Amino acid sequence: MSEHLRDPTSETTSTQRPRREPLATFAERTVALLDIGKMRGDEFVDRLETNFASLGIGTRRYRKPTNARVAPPDLIQQITLECHAVVLALSD
Amino acid sequence: MKNINATVSPMPETRFVAVVKRECETSVMVAPVLTALAQHVPLEVWSQDDPAFPPGVDTRDDRSLEMSFRLDIETVPTLIRLRGDDEEGRTVGWLRDAWSDLVGRPVGDDLPDMRPGCGSRSREPGVHEQLVARYGRPGLTSRTIDVDDWADPHEVAFDRGWTDGLPVVPPTDGRIVRMLTGTTRSPDEVIGAMPPNLAPCTVEKVAINAVMAGCRPEYLPVVLAAVEAALDPLFTMHGLLCTTCFSSPIVVVNGPITRAIGMNSGMNALGQGNRANATIGRALQLAVRNVGGGIPGELDRSTLGGPGKYTFCFAEDESHPDWMPLSVARGVDPDTNAVTLFQGDGVQGFIDQRSRTPEELTRSLAMSLAAVGHPKLAEFTNALLVLSPEHHGIFAAAGWDRERIERELNAALVRPGADLVQGAQGVGEGITPGREGEQVAKFWPDGLLIARAGGEAGLYSAICAGWTGGRFRDESKPVTREIIP
């Protein structure tokens, strides 16, 4: 059964959890390309890598051990330390 | 006359409803009466704990306690006579004459004249408020935040920025309704405008944050008084929140309520381990954060912060017959519940295990108090001295009361301006140049507050330095408020 909480704030913001602000610029920023481990994910990431490179945007590649589970914490922490944005390759 | 909700099945004009529970001996005793009665009159029997009880009757399952709530059952067994949906009468427990009068025929001839009933499960501690939330009108106006079926409400609170970094109790309607039973004040009463966003702060919002902090309902009046004191313009909560300094509200509670709700004024009074101390101070901080929007890194600009920004609340030990409580010294009648909010930092320990006379101890305390803020600053910050029983005992044995202690300490804290001006003693910090010829007091005359607390053993006291806003003597001061039930 879903639970309902009462808002403890002055209710000046949306009831939806705010999204993270998108990057204002890609200059000196690195984008993580995360292959979640589904079939042909590598092809999709290859294409993304090429396109980002053509725009002069740095990328790093990562891969989940399996698409059946959430990314392990050490992978998430590594991406957090090394990159500023993530593209998930939800390919099939 | 009570009106029964339409969920009760349509019945002939006059009908009866009984509410029972198997674990109640009186309910068990009247079970044969109900079985016999069902042969003669329309009767619904609702069981709070066992749908198979009483045997031989078409019992309705009220383990959810919805019907007990709607019928406002306080005791079982309860027998109610209805005409349509209108209640004509009820009897609780077992009173043979009352039951016989209600049903219009003699019943229970083989039973004793009377037996008291048992408490209804719907009135067990905390249950009624849950039922109000589930089936009634809780009367809350704050918007609801839905938590997905598989989401953890604790994580939702973190994700939404509602916490101080520690887990909070999820503010459900049942918990909030129960919290509000702790005060006579209306949930929609506006206490004031909470800085920094100057958002209206209602009793309901305080109650929600008190739930999250882990308060019990009987703490709520103390929390409300603390919030009121914080919102007094003289307390300058906005500046205290936005400051780059260490300070935050320190809550000192006085009066009989401290004993009633089990606050700690003794051993480890300034430390962890007491629910009331910990959660009252935390509720105030959460209200500032959530209602006012005082978020660290945003408008909370403290350079280093301090552990007191989680919570800092304790009760004063008023047990010594010669000690005038802080609240009384600040104008509140004796034996009256009150909070005093002081804008202060963490604890600076004061150790003196050698002084044995009040004069020695005064000089010793003055040496440490002179260091508040900076040894060369004066009339710049206030201070809260938490005097331990053993240190106070040295004063008390010599017949020094609060007034004498304050007077002697302030006198011992007057120093030559030549030693304090900026640049003197090779230190840049100090009082304004030009005061070299003055004798300068460390604190404003009302700037040194003293509270008595702590364990019986230990020649240690505590000094809490005041916020630098104290240098504006008439603009920013500690605030004392009586606690309204």
Side-chain angles (χ1 to χ4, degrees):
Chain A
M1 193 171 85
S2 63
E3 195 165 2
H4 306 285
L5 307 180
R6 292 283 178 172
D7 193 335
T9 74
S10 53
E11 305 180 16
T12 54
T13 59
S14 167
T15 58
Q16 300 293 315
R17 192 179 67 177
R19 300 175 80 92
R20 291 285 299 271
E21 286 289 317
L23 293 180
T25 175
F26 282 104
E28 298 182 358
R29 298 288 187 269
T30 303
V31 177
L33 304 177
L34 177 58
D35 180 352
I36 69 165
K38 299 191 84 172
M39 290 176 63
R40 301 186 64 194
D42 53 341
E43 291 178 40
F44 184 42
V45 171
D46 286 346
R47 180 67 64 88
L48 286 171
E49 192 172 38
T50 302
N51 290 344
F52 274 115
S54 69
L55 296 168
I57 299 168
T59 58
R60 284 175 179 266
R61 297 177 66 126
Y62 304 89
R63 183 182 168 86
K64 275 172 54 176
T66 169
N67 66 8
R69 297 182 187 175
V70 298
D74 55 352
L75 178 60
I76 295 173
Q77 288 167 6
Q78 184 184 1
I79 293 172
T80 302
L81 290 170
E82 296 175 349
C83 300
H84 304 91
V86 185
V87 178
L88 286 175
L90 301 173
S91 60
D92 256 327
Chain B
M1 299 281 270
K2 293 183 171 57
N3 187 275
I4 306 306
N5 184 283
T7 57
V8 177
S9 307
M11 289 283 187
E13 258 205 305
T14 298
R15 60 195 179 92
F16 294 85
V17 174
V19 181
V20 297
K21 65 178 180 182
R22 177 188 282 276
E23 69 175 17
C24 171
E25 288 183 6
T26 306
S27 290
V28 172
M29 188 189 78
V30 304
V33 176
L34 293 171
T35 304
L37 201 56
Q39 308 303 314
H40 299 95
V41 298
L43 173 67
E44 282 180 16
V45 180
W46 293 82
S47 175
Q48 294 184 338
D49 56 355
D50 181 357
F53 173 79
V57 177
D58 182 19
T59 306
R60 315 288 177 94
D61 183 356
D62 195 35
R63 284 177 294 185
S64 72
L65 301 176
E66 178 177 359
M67 186 53 66
S68 296
F69 170 75
R70 296 195 187 287
L71 293 171
D72 196 17
I73 302 297
E74 296 188 353
T75 303
V76 290
T78 290
L79 182 66
I80 303 172
R81 188 176 72 203
L82 300 160
R83 182 175 295 277
D85 286 340
D86 293 328
E87 181 176 328
E88 292 188 325
R90 71 169 61 192
T91 181
V92 299
W94 168 251
L95 290 166
R96 187 171 52 224
D97 290 348
W99 277 59
S100 298
D101 287 347
L102 198 65
V103 301
R105 64 171 59 216
V107 293
D109 289 341
D110 54 339
L111 299 182
D113 290 346
M114 70 84 64
R115 283 285 183 274
C118 313
S120 170
R121 299 191 87 178
S122 57
R123 287 289 177 173
E124 289 177 3
V127 174
H128 180 71
E129 293 80 12
Q130 299 277 9
L131 295 171
V132 170
R134 194 171 299 174
Y135 304 119
R137 294 189 178 89
L140 304 175
T141 57
S142 296
R143 68 185 181 186
T144 55
I145 303 294
D146 296 332
V147 180
D148 291 344
D149 289 353
W150 300 102
D152 182 339
H154 294 86
E155 296 297 336
V156 169
F158 278 115
D159 289 345
R160 290 179 174 274
W162 293 349
T163 93
D164 49 14
L166 295 170
V168 292
V169 177
T172 58
D173 281 8
R175 293 187 178 113
I176 300 163
V177 169
R178 183 160 182 254
M179 182 62 64
L180 286 164
T181 64
T183 181
T184 59
R185 302 170 73 164
S186 174
D188 60 2
E189 179 186 341
V190 176
I191 298 174
M194 181 68 82
N197 293 342
L198 297 180
C201 182
T202 61
V203 169
E204 178 180 322
K205 288 295 183 188
V206 176
I208 294 172
N209 282 280
V211 165
M212 292 166 57
C215 291
R216 293 174 59 86
E218 53 267 38
Y219 307 167
L220 184 59
V222 186
V223 177
L224 288 166
V227 171
E228 274 190 327
L231 299 187
D232 185 319
L234 201 55
F235 190 70
T236 53
M237 186 65 228
H238 180 91
L240 185 63
L241 173 79
C242 302
T243 182
T244 48
C245 289
F246 312 87
S247 311
S248 61
I250 299 175
V251 185
V252 186
V253 189
N254 282 103
I257 196 170
T258 62
R259 275 89 70 188
I261 65 176
M263 292 192 72
N264 184 14
S265 63
M267 193 181 297
N268 205 44
L270 309 188
Q272 84 290 13
N274 178 277
R275 180 174 177 179
N277 289 28
T279 60
I280 290 169
R282 189 187 188 204
L284 171 61
Q285 293 284 358
L286 287 177
V288 172
R289 176 190 180 94
N290 288 321
V291 182
I295 310 291
E298 295 180 13
L299 279 177
D300 181 342
R301 308 300 295 176
S302 181
T303 305
L304 284 166
K309 299 185 88 164
Y310 284 101
T311 178
F312 199 160
C313 173
F314 65 99
E316 185 171 28
D317 179 357
E318 303 173 345
S319 63
H320 194 284
D322 298 332
W323 179 249
M324 176 189 284
L326 177 64
S327 57
V328 177
R330 295 179 57 80
V332 175
D333 290 338
D335 295 321
T336 301
N337 298 319
V339 297
T340 296
L341 261 62
F342 176 78
Q343 306 101 323
D345 303 348
V347 170
Q348 172 192 336
F350 169 74
I351 302 169
D352 187 330
Q353 305 185 85
R354 304 290 178 188
S355 294
R356 290 292 181 270
T357 68
E359 291 82 6
E360 276 187 299
L361 187 56
T362 297
R363 285 191 290 273
S364 183
L365 277 166
M367 293 170 78
S368 283
L369 284 163
V372 165
H374 188 283
K376 289 182 60 195
L377 288 174
E379 299 167 338
F380 196 82
T381 65
N382 299 319
L384 172 65
L385 168 62
V386 184
L387 203 56
S388 69
E390 279 208 283
H391 274 154
H392 171 243
I394 292 171
F395 291 124
W400 287 26
D401 60 7
R402 167 188 285 278
E403 188 276 333
R404 177 81 185 273
I405 297 169
E406 288 176 353
R407 177 158 42 90
E408 299 283 352
L409 276 172
N410 279 314
L413 282 160
V414 175
R415 298 170 296 168
D419 293 342
L420 305 180
V421 292
Q422 295 163 14
Q425 304 181 63
V427 174
E429 187 56 274
I431 63 173
T432 310
R435 302 185 68 184
E436 290 85 346
E438 297 181 27
Q439 290 292 305
V440 181
K442 174 69 181 180
F443 303 113
W444 301 115
D446 53 357
L448 176 61
L449 280 65
I450 305 178
R452 182 180 184 276
E456 291 299 319
L459 285 155
Y460 312 115
S461 289
I463 296 167
C464 300
W467 176 43
T468 56
R471 68 189 184 279
F472 307 115
R473 181 185 178 192
D474 296 325
E475 296 177 18
S476 178
K477 291 186 176 184
V479 170
T480 297
R481 276 281 182 284
E482 287 189 23
I483 297 169
I484 301 170

